[in-house]
Amino acid sequence: MTTQTANIDYINSLDEAKAREAFFHCSGSAIWCDEMIAQMPFADICDLYRKADESWKLLTKHDWLNAFKIHPKIGDIDSLRKKFNATADWASNEQAGTATANEETLHGLAHGNVEYERKFGYIFIVCATGKSAQEMLSILQQRLPNNAATEFDIACGEQKKITNLRLGKITP
């Protein structure tokens, strides 16, 4: 039995409360979770990801902004430890590139996060897995000049990527 099959079997075995908890840790959206639960069981891993993608289409801007709140700011270790304890392991692994960053890069991320949040009204969302802190800083700097609509679309796409990675981490 492959890991993906085992994950699908495990996900399909979850009762509604456990499924809601698992899906919420992946997405941060109660609406998305409700839709995913309504579509259980999943035929296979492809069905899971297809239905996950379709479920995002039901969210309003307000729902997306709530989903963004599940994420700590890139490089904010204190936030990882305190506010996001339930997903801290996932988020710290996803943000592993910040662990070896130099002070200049970390300060750049901190300053950029403040500027981004001031401009767009939500934290900088990026799928950080496999990216160095310098890469994330570069992405942040490239996205800061975007207009609100363009940036919101990009942030939503990054949210989907993060959720899909986290769906693959749901295990017994």
Side-chain angles (χ1 to χ4, degrees):
M1 181 180 293
T2 67
T3 302
Q4 290 181 336
T5 303
N7 286 346
I8 286 299
D9 292 343
Y10 174 70
I11 291 168
N12 285 335
S13 75
L14 296 173
D15 64 29
E16 185 174 328
K18 293 287 186 188
R20 183 174 313 286
E21 179 182 3
F23 290 144
F24 190 81
H25 289 320
C26 293
S27 72
S29 169
I31 303 297
W32 184 88
C33 293
D34 290 344
E35 185 61 23
M36 290 297 287
I37 291 166
Q39 296 184 81
M40 290 176 74
F42 305 103
D44 54 31
I45 195 79
C46 293
D47 187 43
L48 171 73
Y49 288 115
R50 182 179 55 75
K51 288 178 177 172
D53 190 54
E54 290 172 3
S55 296
W56 285 116
K57 295 174 184 173
L58 301 174
L59 274 64
T60 65
K61 182 174 183 175
H62 177 75
D63 297 328
W64 280 101
L65 293 173
N66 281 335
F68 294 170
K69 291 177 184 176
I70 194 174
H71 303 290
K73 291 179 183 175
I74 297 292
D76 187 348
I77 302 305
D78 289 335
S79 180
L80 282 170
R81 289 188 185 119
K82 295 175 188 170
K83 183 176 178 187
F84 302 95
N85 193 41
T87 58
D89 288 342
W90 286 353
S92 63
N93 288 335
E94 292 161 2
Q95 293 190 27
T98 61
T100 59
N102 63 40
E103 285 298 309
E104 182 180 345
T105 301
L106 291 175
H107 286 292
L109 281 168
H111 175 73
N113 275 315
V114 169
E115 190 176 341
Y116 184 98
E117 194 167 2
R118 188 177 308 132
K119 180 175 181 178
F120 298 112
Y122 52 90
I123 67 164
F124 171 62
I125 304 291
V126 65
C127 184
T129 300
K131 292 178 179 66
S132 69
Q134 187 58 48
E135 286 175 281
M136 289 182 272
L137 178 57
S138 178
I139 292 166
L140 173 59
Q141 291 167 337
Q142 289 169 10
R143 287 174 46 190
L144 269 169
N146 288 340
N147 65 49
T150 298
E151 186 53 33
F152 185 74
D153 288 345
I154 293 169
C156 291
E158 294 297 303
Q159 174 73 24
K160 288 180 188 180
K161 289 178 196 175
I162 296 164
T163 298
N164 284 347
L165 285 171
R166 290 180 174 188
L167 282 170
K169 296 176 183 179
I170 298 175
T171 57

